[in-house]
Amino acid sequence: MALAGHQSEPNRLESCLDQPMELDILEVISSTPSLLPAKYYDADTTKPISCGLHTMEELLSWRRSEANPFNVAVAPLAPREPPLASSPRRTLVSHDMMGGYLDDRFVQGTSSETPYAFYHWHYIDIFNYFTHQLVTIPPAVWTNAAHKHGVVVLGTFITEWTDGATMCEAFLKDEESYRKVADKLVQISQYYGFDGWLVNIENVLTEAAVRNTPLFLRYLTEQMHERVSGSLVLWYDSVVQDGQLKWQNELNQSNRMFFDACDGFFTNYNWTEQNLEWMKEYSGIQGRQADVYVGVDVFARGKVVGGMFETNKALEIIRRHNFSAAIFAPGWVYESLSDRSEFRKNQDKFWSLLSDHLYVHQLAAQLPFISSFCQGFGKAVYWRGQVEAARSWFNLTAQEIQSLYFHPDLQGQGWLRTRGCPEDAWNGGCSLLLEGVIPAALRTPVCAKILSLHVPLALKTLVSIVYKASAGIVVSLQLKTIDAIRCTHVNVQEVGFTGDNQLMNQFSQLCGNLNPSGWTHRCSQLELHSCILREVCVLIHRVGEPQDTPFSCRLGELMVLDVADLQAPPPAVKGLCVNDVVWLRGAGSSPETRSSYLHLNATLRWDYPLELVRYFRVYWRRLRGPDPRIPPGQLVLVDRAYSSLFRVTELAVPDPPGLLELVVEPVIRKGVPVPESHWGRRPLSYIEESAL
């Protein structure tokens, strides 16, 4: 049974930002139906979810004031080297899986034993979330993960079949009509924080509609460029200039009018090498060859080149002719291969086969740079090598900067492999596992290049690494900087525990020897001048006589910090608000939450600079219940939050009357703990309506 609640004070965010943090909120448990918009919240749990738009009426009536605040991406698009516009051959991934909005629709993550995820971001430039809904709004979890890696995210605007033709006839009839549609698409992209659209008109068009289609595309593209930095609008190879639905499998005179009106062209999948040879010489493409994305269907439907584990054959031909590539539905490795417990292995195999034809872009980040290599899912949630929550989980927003994944052969019987491993981790759901065999003939250390970056380093830079290594090897880091006359390395020194230095005291929890879980922490302080970090390599040194030496090294975390930034005290959480409360009794998504307990569901908002944090920990504790003899409880972790907006769901609380406290702890990027005095706190008291 769902019960709504109402507060005895105004429910607006503006009102609670000015309230003292110790001021109680009084909740009255009533039988009033929940007022939460059903399409934005799971019906059973009130968990926030992502969704698209199905009808033109929904699109034209869309308003920011009625949009889904939980689906707003919190990660800005990171800069990269080279910039996308300067990349001569690009790679687009179009993610089409089982109708879309699956586990990824849960904005705050969900429990999932074998979810689909993507983590080879360094190979791709553009990510398109594709469904057959009229307007596909990418789930925020995908936009956040892609943006962290400098990858542009596109939604999809698609019309199909007879209904699509009727819809196009209406919205493409005149300038006023198509501008209304384009304006709404721009507003949606701007509000939710993604970067543009794939436009896919897969139905016949009347003479008037096809005449206005390039005008619609040009207006949409211009408005996107004006309002969303780095945005793109791409056209899919479908209708031609006379309005017929005829897939051309190439750019030619029949569809050039659409290409000329937007940022790029995504070809259909049934091309041959002759199509690419002809396109390369086509006058209508000159100067824009990188804007033609040759489509590759990984499912290999129809008469196509490659597909499945032979997708590399298509990529080899596409790159030979210097075109960009659009890889459609690489989730084939998840959908079609029966053993999903082998997903990581199959995913790594697929992208490894393509790697010779893909181009790694460098993430242009600023200090602090930090990654635990978490892939956004796992068998447990870890914090500093300890299990924080023993459950399978999936949340791509939790994904941190990913490594380069590769499988090079070494001399003789030697080999090296890097992969994400969920069996043990330092923070999040997995660690980066380096494993292989050092061949007897190899006299130099094995060098595993794990990151390709463009990160300006500080005058005094602190480097911290957390790892576990097998016996018989020594592990060290190699940082490569861009060669420049001004870049000089002055000094390198190990950081330890000794001394009264304030910085060392701050890092006493990070730097040292072994902890009980077997992890090793090592920190070094570098003195540099005008240097830019471009590569991070892990060096594996053999100890002892030359022989084939099996090894493994589990990398838990890498941090590169500006020493000067560590001196600044962290800010405090401000204005913790509680609203949109729904009480549930005898409901829930799991056996534990389908009991007769009273369950609290509520939205928390607070103010904190998001650029400073990795995430927040949200806690609760009981302060007072109906039995005054029971003392206040300890803080209990609810979950991690990755923005300053979080929905508490299915939280079992004592029966009313009661008083509890909700607490928010920032976990900041520079690695030092935030004092409890700077955490956000809000007491919440609750009573039955009948008690009034």
Side-chain angles (χ1 to χ4, degrees):
M1 179 176 64
L3 307 171
H6 63 266
Q7 297 174 357
S8 60
E9 302 177 28
N11 195 14
R12 304 302 301 162
L13 175 61
E14 297 80 13
S15 67
C16 68
L17 285 174
D18 297 326
Q19 294 174 2
M21 294 285 271
E22 65 275 7
L23 182 66
D24 285 15
I25 294 173
L26 175 62
E27 267 291 323
V28 179
I29 304 170
S30 71
S31 57
T32 307
S34 168
L35 300 178
L36 295 175
K39 63 182 177 179
Y40 296 150
Y41 297 87
D42 180 70
D44 295 327
T45 65
T46 80
K47 291 180 179 179
I49 56 176
S50 305
C51 63
L53 306 177
H54 292 83
T55 67
M56 187 60 71
E57 182 182 3
E58 280 186 275
L59 174 60
L60 293 176
S61 63
W62 186 90
R63 300 287 184 274
R64 291 175 63 95
S65 60
E66 299 173 0
N68 181 0
F70 283 96
N71 198 46
V72 175
V74 294
L77 178 61
R80 45 165 282 176
E81 290 292 336
L84 182 62
S86 304
S87 300
R89 292 172 298 277
R90 305 166 192 154
T91 303
L92 178 152
V93 160
S94 187
H95 175 62
D96 175 28
M97 178 177 285
M98 302 160 65
Y101 300 111
L102 305 172
D103 288 336
D104 54 7
R105 76 185 185 278
F106 291 99
V107 179
Q108 296 177 177
T110 189
S111 298
S112 181
E113 295 287 338
T114 53
Y116 175 78
F118 181 80
Y119 44 84
H120 290 84
W121 296 107
H122 54 281
Y123 281 143
I124 78 168
D125 306 289
I126 303 166
F127 178 85
N128 163 237
Y129 195 84
F130 186 94
T131 77
H132 290 274
Q133 298 182 22
L134 174 66
V135 178
T136 299
I137 300 169
V141 296
W142 283 106
T143 305
N144 289 329
H147 276 185
K148 291 176 187 178
H149 294 86
V151 173
V152 167
V153 177
L154 306 182
T156 305
F157 177 69
I158 185 172
T159 63
E160 300 176 282
W161 312 108
T162 303
D163 288 346
T166 303
M167 199 179 298
C168 289
E169 178 70 11
F171 93 84
L172 291 170
K173 65 182 179 182
D174 55 36
E175 181 178 4
E176 180 183 5
S177 299
Y178 72 67
R179 285 195 171 207
K180 285 182 179 178
V181 170
D183 287 343
K184 290 299 181 183
L185 293 175
V186 173
Q187 292 167 23
I188 288 169
S189 174
Q190 194 174 22
Y191 177 79
Y192 287 115
F194 61 96
D195 311 298
W197 297 95
L198 171 66
V199 179
N200 187 0
I201 306 297
E202 294 210 65
N203 48 257
V204 295
L205 296 175
T206 62
E207 181 180 349
V210 77
R211 183 173 60 249
N212 282 326
T213 300
L215 301 178
F216 162 68
L217 275 178
R218 190 175 302 279
Y219 178 74
L220 173 62
T221 303
E222 290 172 351
Q223 293 301 304
M224 285 297 305
H225 290 180
E226 184 176 322
R227 290 169 170 75
V228 179
S229 177
S231 60
L232 291 175
V233 175
L234 304 184
W235 172 262
Y236 180 71
D237 171 15
S238 50
V239 296
V240 291
Q241 61 184 358
D242 65 0
Q244 296 186 65
L245 180 59
K246 286 186 177 180
W247 298 273
Q248 299 294 290
N249 302 298
E250 66 179 20
L251 176 68
N252 57 34
Q253 202 61 29
S254 297
N255 50 35
R256 176 185 170 181
M257 61 192 290
F258 309 112
F259 175 61
D260 290 343
C262 65
D263 295 309
F265 185 87
F266 183 148
T267 78
N268 193 45
Y269 312 106
N270 303 114
W271 50 268
T272 65
E273 188 166 7
Q274 286 70 36
N275 294 110
L276 307 193
E277 290 172 347
W278 185 90
M279 272 200 298
K280 191 164 61 173
E281 303 302 326
Y282 174 46
S283 61
I285 206 175
Q286 299 310 312
R288 293 190 63 193
Q289 199 161 337
D291 295 334
V292 176
Y293 300 82
V294 179
V296 180
D297 181 7
V298 178
F299 277 80
R301 289 162 285 206
K303 191 176 181 180
V304 300
V305 177
M308 297 182 274
F309 280 129
E310 293 187 341
T311 299
N312 57 307
K313 293 181 178 179
L315 265 290
E316 191 276 327
I317 296 173
I318 293 169
R319 299 311 196 197
R320 186 190 309 157
H321 295 284
N322 291 317
F323 287 106
S324 294
I327 302 172
F328 185 76
W332 168 83
V333 299
Y334 181 86
E335 286 191 64
S336 297
L337 302 179
S338 57
D339 188 358
R340 290 183 177 172
S341 66
E342 295 290 306
F343 163 65
R344 274 189 173 97
K345 179 180 177 180
N346 292 326
Q347 171 111 313
D348 292 349
K349 175 183 176 181
F350 178 84
W351 288 97
S352 176
L353 289 168
L354 301 185
S355 61
D356 287 344
H357 311 295
L358 302 173
Y359 306 100
V360 174
H361 66 260
Q362 297 177 330
L363 181 65
Q366 300 293 319
L367 297 183
F369 176 85
I370 182 168
S371 182
S372 66
F373 309 101
C374 174
Q375 293 176 335
F377 64 109
K379 299 177 179 180
V381 181
Y382 290 83
W383 169 242
R384 298 200 174 181
Q386 304 295 320
V387 173
E388 185 174 79
R391 55 178 173 81
S392 295
W393 64 279
F394 169 77
N395 185 353
L396 285 176
T397 299
Q399 190 177 96
E400 299 201 334
I401 300 301
Q402 291 300 291
S403 165
L404 304 174
Y405 295 97
F406 55 91
H407 307 78
D409 292 326
L410 306 176
Q411 301 175 16
Q413 301 299 309
W415 58 276
L416 170 65
R417 178 172 66 174
T418 59
R419 61 184 177 94
C421 180
E423 303 305 326
D424 195 5
W426 179 252
N427 184 42
C430 73
S431 53
L432 178 63
L433 185 63
L434 288 69
E435 56 188 353
V437 173
I438 306 173
L442 188 64
R443 297 293 189 266
T444 57
V446 172
C447 178
K449 178 181 172 182
I450 61 170
L451 292 167
S452 179
L453 304 166
H454 186 93
V455 179
L457 298 175
L459 177 63
K460 289 187 177 181
T461 297
L462 189 72
V463 179
S464 167
I465 180 175
V466 180
Y467 65 93
K468 281 184 179 181
S470 58
I473 61 170
V474 173
V475 176
S476 63
L477 272 188
Q478 182 182 69
L479 307 183
K480 296 184 179 181
T481 56
I482 291 177
D483 294 330
I485 297 174
R486 294 178 302 164
C487 177
T488 57
H489 303 186
V490 180
N491 185 34
V492 179
Q493 64 182 45
E494 288 289 318
V495 173
F497 284 111
T498 58
D500 298 324
N501 183 284
Q502 182 181 2
L503 173 62
M504 298 307 101
N505 291 334
Q506 286 180 302
F507 262 82
S508 63
Q509 297 182 25
L510 286 179
C511 306
N513 298 313
L514 293 175
N515 75 6
S517 298
W519 292 93
T520 298
H521 306 219
R522 291 183 62 190
C523 297
S524 298
Q525 182 174 299
L526 317 178
E527 291 189 29
L528 309 165
H529 290 292
S530 304
C531 296
I532 296 176
L533 178 62
R534 63 181 177 88
E535 284 184 11
V536 177
C537 302
V538 177
L539 299 181
I540 308 294
H541 309 252
R542 175 174 40 219
V543 177
E545 296 299 317
Q547 57 181 322
D548 288 348
T549 307
F551 72 89
S552 68
C553 175
R554 188 179 299 277
L555 192 59
E557 188 170 81
L558 172 69
M559 300 176 71
V560 185
L561 310 171
D562 182 348
V563 171
D565 286 346
L566 297 173
Q567 312 302 327
V573 173
K574 296 180 180 178
L576 177 57
C577 310
V578 182
N579 49 34
D580 292 333
V581 174
V582 174
W583 299 93
L584 298 173
R585 195 186 290 276
S589 59
S590 63
E592 293 79 11
T593 59
R594 285 196 290 267
S595 65
S596 60
Y597 281 107
L598 182 66
H599 295 96
L600 170 66
N601 305 267
T603 296
L604 310 186
R605 302 172 188 260
W606 59 90
D607 184 31
Y608 201 85
L610 292 182
E611 67 275 11
L612 300 182
V613 295
R614 296 175 78 173
Y615 54 85
F616 301 90
R617 281 201 192 87
V618 178
Y619 304 91
W620 84 283
R621 65 169 176 160
R622 172 192 172 280
L623 294 180
R624 186 177 67 247
D627 187 345
R629 296 171 297 177
I630 301 177
Q634 299 294 313
L635 285 180
V636 177
L637 181 68
V638 175
D639 209 341
R640 296 181 178 186
Y642 294 88
S643 78
S644 54
L645 177 68
F646 180 77
R647 182 131 187 104
V648 174
T649 61
E650 302 183 281
L651 178 63
V653 299
D655 282 334
L659 175 65
L660 58 84
E661 183 178 44
L662 295 163
V663 179
V664 174
E665 174 196 7
V667 178
I668 59 175
R669 292 171 55 80
K670 58 186 180 182
V672 294
V674 174
E676 286 196 37
S677 60
H678 287 44
W679 299 4
R681 298 176 183 273
R682 178 66 67 183
L684 184 147
S685 58
Y686 53 99
I687 59 173
E688 292 280 9
E689 187 175 36
S690 58
L692 291 177

